[in-house]
Amino acid sequence: MARQRLPVPELFQAALDGDRSSLARLLSLIERGDDEAREIGRLAYPRSGAGYTVGLTGAPGAGKSTLTSSIIGHLRSLELEIAVLAIDPSSPFTGGAILGDRVRMQDHATDPGVFIRSMATRGHLGGLSLATPEAVRALDAIGRHWILVETVGVGQVEVEVAGKADTTVVVVNPGWGDSVQANKAGLMEIADVFVINKADRKGADETRRDLMQMLDLSDLDHDTWRPPIVSTVGTTGEGIVELWDTVLEHRAHVESSGVLAERRTFRLREELREIIAQRLGRRAREICTGDRWDELTEEVVARSTDPWTAADEMLVGLA
């Protein structure tokens, strides 16, 4: 309990010194998103920049968590320290994260070289918590330079993963079927690497041909990097070494070509815009109270003034 009462600078230093409970507490404060979260962001930013994020996404049931667990095992065999953010759907009643991802990765729970955290979406339509970029930055700042971000879905969530990851891995299964047909164009756009997981099942060869045909017919520029297709069996670890080697190849490509710098610049610009939008939204809620707000609302209802003129009056002097 005493640890939770530490001021943010002391909590941050404790996390830097390797205290896992302090790191967990920092991420909880980041999720909360109040003044303490901003303070953590100010402390973490100067220390960040060395980390590399790998996003894993795909339809529910694709076996992403099992695949992630196998990747963790491989990275630990290379003596790399890693962090995993498992972005789960929010409960409409509690806002809490589903902990299934942690259950599947429990073999690594006691490994000091692995830090796993489930984060709720908080109802965010894209499937990723607004706190995710700050959480990634905090993990980077304390020395976890490989960060896996696993999420779920085949819609806008993938677009968000692509925006917040340096390498995006799209996971599909044999016979991925009509349920994904409408989203194939989006998958083409955001995938840096395709994985056919559960490749020991019937239909894996057909799925590979399907993906290759989609890549051939897409109007995306594949002159510099054509997304490779890797077959894996997450439950046995088959194909994991090849998958990770492919991720490393993509990292080398984006670093040498300047694409990584471009992606990160775009990501920071979007994050800054989102921070400003959030703060303006909070300020708007603050000014939409009080006697003058009530008077203007009544005038609009009575049609003695229009909503635009009323809004202009409320915004006079807003800094």
Side-chain angles (χ1 to χ4, degrees), residues 20 72 76 107-115 144:
R20 294 168 69 91
I72 293 172
R76 292 302 291 143
D107 291 345
H108 309 284
T110 59
D111 185 344
V114 180
F115 184 87
R144 300 293 169 130

Side-chain angles (χ1 to χ4, degrees), residues 19-35:
D19 185 78
R20 294 168 69 91
S21 63
S22 294
L23 176 56
R25 178 60 178 163
L26 285 176
L27 295 181
S28 294
L29 294 174
I30 287 172
E31 281 193 277
R32 187 181 299 171
D34 54 16
D35 291 341

Side-chain angles (χ1 to χ4, degrees), residues 15 22 25 41-43 56-57 70 125 129 137 144 155 163 165 168 191 196 205 233 236 240 264 270 280 286 294:
S22 294
R25 178 60 178 163
R42 294 186 183 102
L43 291 170
L56 292 102
T57 191
S70 292
L125 288 178
S129 160
R137 190 169 294 129
R144 300 293 169 130
T168 302
I196 303 174
D205 291 339
V233 181
T236 65
I240 297 301
R264 291 182 172 180
E270 290 302 300
L280 288 174
E286 291 172 354
D294 292 337

Side-chain angles (χ1 to χ4, degrees), residues 253-266:
H253 165 72
V254 294
E255 287 179 339
S256 63
S257 65
V259 171
L260 181 61
E262 292 175 2
R263 287 187 177 187
R264 291 182 172 180
T265 297
F266 174 80

